[in-house]
Amino acid sequence: MSTGYIGNTAGKGAVRYAQKRAARGRQVRQHDTGGRRPGWVSYLFLAVVFVVSIFPLYAAAMYGSSTTQEIARAVGDLPTWFPTMVLLENFREVVTASQFNFWMAFANSVLVAVSVTASTVFFSTLAGFAFAKLSFRGRQFLYVTVIATMAIPAQVGTIPMFIMMNDFGWIDSLAALAVPTLVTAFGVFWMTQYLQEALPFELVEAARVDGASMFRTFWSIALPAARPAAATLALFTFVGSWNSFFWPSVVMRSQLTMPLVVPQLKGAFTTDTGLVMSGVFLVAAPLLVVFVVAGKQLVSGVMAGAVKG
């Protein structure tokens, strides 16, 4: 087996191990893993992780499928183990509640999450391409400075950021939620590390020799090469933006996002636990849809980028 294939599939450590074996006159055997399947221990472990992860959302649905009296009788246990028509009725009451506009909150969350995700992926990949493949004065200092900001808690900048949003007139507007997170230090770090290995210098040089501008090189060469890492970053960014609660609770007044609906549920349906839990389920349900729709594409993209040449 060639060291180039080993390096592409297993990394530099495996290459050094193979070279040491070759120096001793030993062959590095290639194992056929195509027909291998995980054992029952792996499936059992994954099943336990799945049950533990999904149980809180399942419990919310089961509480939402029950009346207040059924919940009161089920002390220390779920009131039901299967969904009932009560759940659909509770859904209807939550989305039509007069105390808050559920669909407006949903639209706000979708708009902010999609715009933040698209911007973060684009600008993080652009910055990652510059830090990974371009040579300019102060590159290392700038990169270290960006990474260092990850050590600063977000709460530290809450007051200065609030003052800035107030000066801009963005309090109680979606701009206050989207603009401060259009690009993140983690995204820049993530894409830089990926492009350092996934994008050969030869491709960048070939594009420049052919007359492509720097942005054209990024758009046609770097961005497609970064697709697997960009898909992962997009998923994490979307989930983080959707679940954001602290900053929206600071700058929003009359408008709501989906996480801000949860406190409204408690105030609107104080005595009806089933309605509250139904609303909690509705807040989290769109993320399940995102994972179901994008999960397969995400895995296929990561696997496509696993072997680089």
Side-chain angles (χ1 to χ4, degrees):
M1 186 188 303
S2 67
T3 56
Y5 176 80
I6 296 174
N8 283 332
T9 56
K12 298 179 181 179
V15 171
R16 290 193 294 267
Y17 172 75
Q19 291 172 343
K20 289 180 181 179
R21 287 187 63 89
R24 298 173 186 170
R26 300 178 181 179
Q27 293 292 331
V28 179
R29 294 177 296 177
Q30 180 175 358
H31 297 280
D32 181 16
T33 60
R36 294 181 60 184
R37 295 176 60 87
W40 66 270
V41 175
S42 300
Y43 284 112
L44 179 62
F45 174 75
L46 292 176
V48 172
V49 171
F50 173 78
V51 170
V52 172
S53 302
I54 203 68
F55 183 78
L57 194 59
Y58 169 77
M62 294 307 100
Y63 278 106
S65 299
S66 309
T67 63
T68 303
Q69 293 76 15
E70 291 173 339
I71 295 174
R73 289 195 298 266
V75 179
D77 196 5
L78 291 179
T80 181
W81 291 92
F82 300 99
T84 66
M85 294 303 296
V86 176
L87 182 62
L88 297 180
E89 180 63 25
N90 286 341
F91 284 167
R92 187 190 65 81
E93 291 197 36
V94 169
V95 299
T96 59
S98 59
Q99 293 86 342
F100 55 87
N101 192 329
F102 179 88
W103 293 114
M104 182 60 70
F106 178 81
N108 289 342
S109 288
V110 170
L111 180 61
V112 172
V114 170
S115 60
V116 167
T117 299
S119 174
T120 298
V121 170
F122 177 78
F123 288 116
S124 295
T125 308
L126 186 62
F129 171 67
F131 285 129
K133 297 303 174 182
L134 303 185
S135 179
F136 54 91
R137 183 177 299 178
R139 180 184 66 171
Q140 192 63 28
F141 173 76
L142 288 175
Y143 183 60
V144 172
T145 302
V146 171
I147 300 305
T149 61
M150 297 172 60
I152 303 175
Q155 291 77 7
V156 173
T158 299
I159 295 178
M161 188 67 68
F162 180 85
I163 295 174
M164 290 177 60
M165 296 300 104
N166 187 56
D167 292 340
F168 295 158
W170 288 355
I171 297 298
D172 198 27
S173 72
L174 298 184
L177 302 183
V179 173
T181 54
L182 289 181
V183 65
T184 62
F186 172 77
V188 174
F189 169 76
W190 176 271
M191 300 308 300
T192 300
Q193 295 301 306
Y194 184 83
L195 287 173
Q196 283 179 344
E197 298 293 334
L199 183 62
F201 276 104
E202 292 78 7
L203 288 178
V204 178
E205 294 172 353
R208 297 293 289 161
V209 169
D210 289 342
S213 64
M214 189 58 67
F215 185 80
R216 178 70 176 180
T217 302
F218 160 76
W219 187 261
S220 300
I221 304 297
L223 197 57
R227 190 176 303 164
T232 305
L233 178 62
L235 185 59
F236 290 161
T237 304
F238 186 91
V239 173
S241 178
W242 185 276
N243 290 331
S244 179
F245 178 81
F246 175 73
W247 179 243
S249 66
V250 171
V251 296
M252 304 304 282
R253 296 293 182 267
S254 60
Q255 299 194 70
L256 297 177
T257 58
M258 291 297 277
L260 295 182
V261 167
V262 176
Q264 298 291 328
L265 289 169
K266 189 174 181 181
F269 310 115
T270 305
T271 59
D272 198 327
T273 305
L275 279 173
V276 174
M277 299 306 288
S278 299
V280 171
F281 181 86
L282 286 177
V283 170
L287 294 182
L288 287 181
V289 177
V290 170
F291 274 103
V292 171
V293 173
K296 185 177 180 180
Q297 298 174 349
L298 175 65
V299 173
S300 63
V302 172
M303 294 304 296
V307 179
K308 303 181 289 292

